[in-house]
Amino acid sequence: MSLFRRALTALLALILAAPAAASPALWRFGDADTTIYLFGTIHALPPGYKWQDSRIEKAMASSDTLVIETLLDKDPQAIASLFPPPDPSLPPILERVPEKSRPAFAALLKKSGLDPAMLSRMPTWQASFMLMGAMMKDLGIQRDAGVENSLMPAFAPPPSPDAKDASPRKVEALETASEQLALFANLSEADQREMLASFADGHSDAKDDYAKLLTAWASGNEAAIAKAFADDKDLTPHLREILLRRRNANWAEWLKKRLATPGTVFVAVGAGHLAGPLSVQSMLAAEGITVERIWSERDRKKRPTRH
């Protein structure tokens, strides 16, 4: 299951309920005048899923800045400018997936209601995004069910600088919308087609896969999250380099530099970036920065994980 398919499986979690006491993993590091929290997220959650506990609430309340992976411009024209114009010379969309995957892919395409001719004029990565969006709409999933969108309102700037309750809290991003889209647009055609085929190839076990991932995340099981990514056969070495290791290295460098600015920062990124040997914490450790895990009351007796 590739990183892209992990996003797909998140969209299929319609009937899962939060555990009695969710306790996702939370980390912290800093210096004399700067504190940085690291929190791994699930970008799409079942509606109404309860995941915050006292640790997370306390960390959020003390933070003056929320940092997420990316901030997408709400202006449709700004987003549209990032996509190339239609190209009639591209091969039909169905021919871009392996022959063995075409029956399942054709069924998904029909259910989506998208015009195959329209998708066939798009680069493969863009067609993948369109298909994901259509599936979200068909399933009634709203993007604001994810962790990041539930965090952002608390850090939104006041309506005006003169507001009595004006707060210095703000939202920043580690990547721009164009930088994140470029990660996919610059993939080789083979990688883009693998991403497209993952919709069909992972359809049958998508809900089960997501249920396992969600359980691991909600219980703070870093090892299980790391194993899920390590066992991911569709995450080729090249995709792992582009979408995981390289980004984590960039983020670790950003975090290291952020220590020079006083304040408290709550950094929320996909949980897969904070687990395993390629994790942001491991890269910070290589720079001599110790990151400590903040255990929940329930899990306090567990042996702390240090990086």
Side-chain angles (χ1 to χ4, degrees):
M1 186 174 64
S2 68
L3 282 177
F4 205 76
R5 192 190 302 168
R6 290 189 192 286
L8 170 62
T9 59
L11 307 179
L12 301 178
L14 300 177
I15 60 174
L16 297 171
S23 56
L26 178 68
W27 289 268
R28 175 179 58 201
F29 68 99
D31 55 24
D33 57 7
T34 305
T35 297
I36 298 179
Y37 291 99
L38 291 178
F39 181 61
T41 71
I42 295 290
H43 297 316
L45 288 170
Y49 194 95
K50 305 298 182 183
W51 52 267
Q52 295 188 29
D53 63 11
S54 59
R55 298 169 306 132
I56 299 168
E57 291 171 350
K58 182 178 180 181
M60 288 175 55
S62 66
S63 299
D64 52 69
T65 304
L66 169 66
V67 178
I68 57 178
E69 290 187 23
T70 187
L71 283 174
L72 297 178
D73 196 317
K74 295 183 178 180
D75 178 4
Q77 293 304 315
I79 296 299
S81 67
L82 300 172
F83 291 84
D87 183 353
S89 68
L90 293 170
I93 194 65
L94 191 60
E95 293 182 8
R96 300 186 216 174
V97 299
E99 188 171 354
K100 66 180 178 61
S101 302
R102 290 176 187 175
F105 185 81
L108 285 175
L109 190 58
K110 182 177 181 180
K111 185 176 181 181
S112 75
L114 293 172
D115 180 5
M118 176 190 70
L119 295 181
S120 296
R121 292 191 294 271
M122 296 179 179
T124 304
W125 71 269
Q126 185 181 351
S128 297
F129 273 61
M130 290 293 294
L131 184 58
M132 175 179 280
M135 293 178 71
M136 289 181 67
K137 183 178 180 181
D138 178 63
L139 293 170
I141 300 296
Q142 297 180 350
R143 292 182 184 274
D144 59 9
V147 171
E148 287 85 352
N149 282 331
S150 65
L151 290 172
M152 289 174 64
F155 289 85
S160 72
D162 299 326
K164 292 182 178 180
D165 59 347
S167 169
R169 305 181 94 193
K170 58 184 178 180
V171 179
E172 298 178 356
L174 293 165
E175 299 170 344
T176 65
S178 58
E179 287 172 340
Q180 190 168 83
L181 286 175
L183 292 172
F184 299 96
N186 293 332
L187 288 173
S188 68
E189 180 62 20
D191 285 336
Q192 291 185 43
R193 292 189 180 192
E194 179 181 327
M195 185 170 66
L196 185 68
S198 70
F199 283 103
D201 296 340
H203 178 68
S204 61
D205 58 359
K207 187 176 293 186
D208 288 341
D209 286 338
Y210 179 68
K212 293 176 182 177
L213 183 62
L214 183 59
T215 298
W217 173 76
S219 61
N221 192 337
E222 178 190 0
I225 295 173
K227 186 176 187 303
F229 279 80
D231 293 344
D232 187 349
K233 296 180 180 179
D234 288 340
L235 189 55
T236 65
H238 184 243
L239 287 176
R240 195 178 298 273
E241 166 67 18
I242 297 295
L243 301 179
L244 192 63
R245 193 206 66 79
R246 198 176 297 179
R247 296 172 76 200
N248 286 1
N250 291 339
W251 297 352
E253 184 63 22
W254 185 95
L255 290 164
K256 180 182 177 181
K257 292 179 179 178
R258 184 60 180 77
L259 288 172
T261 303
T264 303
V265 185
F266 191 92
V267 180
V269 297
H273 295 282
L274 303 182
L278 296 179
S279 69
V280 171
Q281 303 98 301
S282 295
M283 293 183 177
L284 288 170
E287 296 290 332
I289 299 173
T290 299
V291 181
E292 65 172 344
R293 180 161 174 178
I294 304 174
W295 294 91
S296 66
E297 193 70 27
R298 185 188 67 180
D299 297 332
R300 183 172 291 179
K301 293 183 179 180
K302 290 183 178 180
R303 182 179 179 181
T305 300
R306 295 188 177 278
H307 298 269

